[in-house]
Amino acid sequence: MKSEKRLDAVVIGGGIIGAMAARHLLAAGRRITIIERDHVAAGASAGNAGILAFPEIIPIAAPGVIWKAPRWLLDPLGPLAIRPAYAARLAPWFWRFLKASNQRHFHHAIGVHTALMRLTACEYEKLRDDETLASFIVKTGTLDLYDSATTIAAAMPEWEHKAEAGARFRRVGRAEIEELQPGLAPQFAHAFFSDDGLQIADPAGFTRAVAETALGEGAVLERAEVLALAPKDDGVVLLLSGGRTLAAQNAVVACGAWSRRLAASLGEAIPLDTERGYNTTLPKTAFPLRRQLYFNDHGFVVTPLADGIRVGGAVEFGGLNLPPDYRRADALLTRAKGFLPALETEGGTQWMGFRPSTPDCLPVIARSNAAPGVIYAFGHGHLGLTQSAATGRLVAELAENRPPSIDLQPLRADRF
Ligand SMILES: Cc1cc2nc3c(=O)[nH]c(=O)nc-3n(C[C@H](O)[C@H](O)[C@H](O)COP(=O)(O)OP(=O)(O)OC[C@H]3O[C@@H](n4cnc5c(N)ncnc54)[C@H](O)[C@@H]3O)c2cc1C
């Protein structure tokens, strides 16, 4: 094996988390190499719904979730599914998830997400200084729809938490719903509307643009797969596919749902799994969509993108290797057609993506305990696009040994 000269900082993974980390490390004066096995925006960062979900501070691991899950699981193409071939492997993760679904952790996680969301909202405001990046951020407003007075009443405590955290929204009835988004099925008479809702108009294009700003300022992109990490002196050695090794002062693990293996190579068992999500991107002409629509009782969203309308969401546990089951994307589209009767469902492109998910619904943003030169930045689940800007900043603060902008104790790698 041939070893090369020691690099300064390597970011492993060219998703939105890696791209933001590279941007912030460059700003801190570091020399950056981004290592991506495929291409920039090859993973979840490409096909997500594009929502800057700053008010979404409520963890899915919530008291009572255990009673909701069986109802959802009964419908094989419903909003939550476990692929039978994966059920046994999921069990330890699921057990941890259930343990995290208690009042104490619920309130703790709300506090942590509130801090992360405040920081990330500030960081997104700063991104507006860059004309290209600013052009991706659009204000569409958010309509959170419920099927009935009963379901919106059940969701009230969540909205109270969001209000306490500073989110601005108001309850709207049928007449106003029809004004805000004409064409919704009459059953939707209960919603919350937020005029503040922001959207990234093209998540893949945005990820590429963030990476390009880093590359334009001197970062280098290398195509390779990192197979393992090992501590060396005060830095780290990376084993790449093909047997090559690289030495670096710092390595940031930003491999999304695939990060677990690299942490394991350092002897750190982090219970990262994936919540697979599905969507269909329809032509822009498919429906006169005015804003983000959340169908909260059905676990999916419809969002307006620069070049289409994206219909998707749902959670499927099936690991990283089982093939996609696109009947899920079909099922979401059929449901969307029921809710938006004029929706033209032809001509769409289907996609499946791997959300990187921890059982306590908090990311890992921390130095490795086994190799202090390694910084973990993964596990953002449903919120990685949103929290990427904060994560980039926090990674740079960790690398530079600066006091972190928020308390990082809850995000450490050994908390599980
Ligand atoms: C259906 C769906 C909808 C979503 N909607 C939203 C939303 O509206 N708002 C929001 O905030 N979030 C949303 N998310 C979540 C968000 O997309 C993810 O949290 C985020 O994209 C994760 O980014 P990442 O950079 O960690 O991972 P990824 O984007 O998956 O990037 C990881 C990269 O690492 C590379 N890689 C992996 N292993 C290696 C290796 N060993 N060596 C080299 N390279 C490697 C991969 O090729 C990939 O490019 C959604 C996710 C899904 C699936």
Side-chain angles (χ1 to χ4, degrees), residues 13 15-17 36-37 44-45 48-51 226 256 381-386:
I16 192 62
I17 300 293
E36 164 58 55
R37 66 176 175 200
S45 303
N48 61 54
I51 300 168
V226 181
H382 295 240
L383 298 168
L385 171 66
T386 309

Side-chain angles (χ1 to χ4, degrees), residues 6 231-236 248-250 367 371-374:
R6 177 157 138 150
K232 187 165 184 216
D233 306 329
D234 61 340
V236 52
Q249 171 77 43
N250 287 117
R367 271 187 190 277
V374 173

Side-chain angles (χ1 to χ4, degrees), residues 12-18 35-39 41-45 47-51 224-227 254-258 261-262 275 277-279 313 351 353-356 377 380-387:
I12 312 167
I16 192 62
I17 300 293
I35 303 189
E36 164 58 55
R37 66 176 175 200
D38 200 337
H39 57 82
S45 303
N48 61 54
I51 300 168
E225 182 169 20
V226 181
L227 300 178
C255 298
W258 297 272
R261 188 171 76 170
L262 292 187
E275 292 174 79
Y278 290 84
N279 61 38
W351 178 82
F354 298 94
R355 298 183 189 94
H380 297 77
H382 295 240
L383 298 168
L385 171 66
T386 309
Q387 294 182 343

Side-chain angles (χ1 to χ4, degrees), residues 174-191:
R174 179 66 205 175
E176 211 174 337
I177 290 174
E178 182 61 23
E179 242 172 64
L180 291 163
Q181 179 56 68
L184 274 157
Q187 79 198 67
F188 294 106
H190 306 275

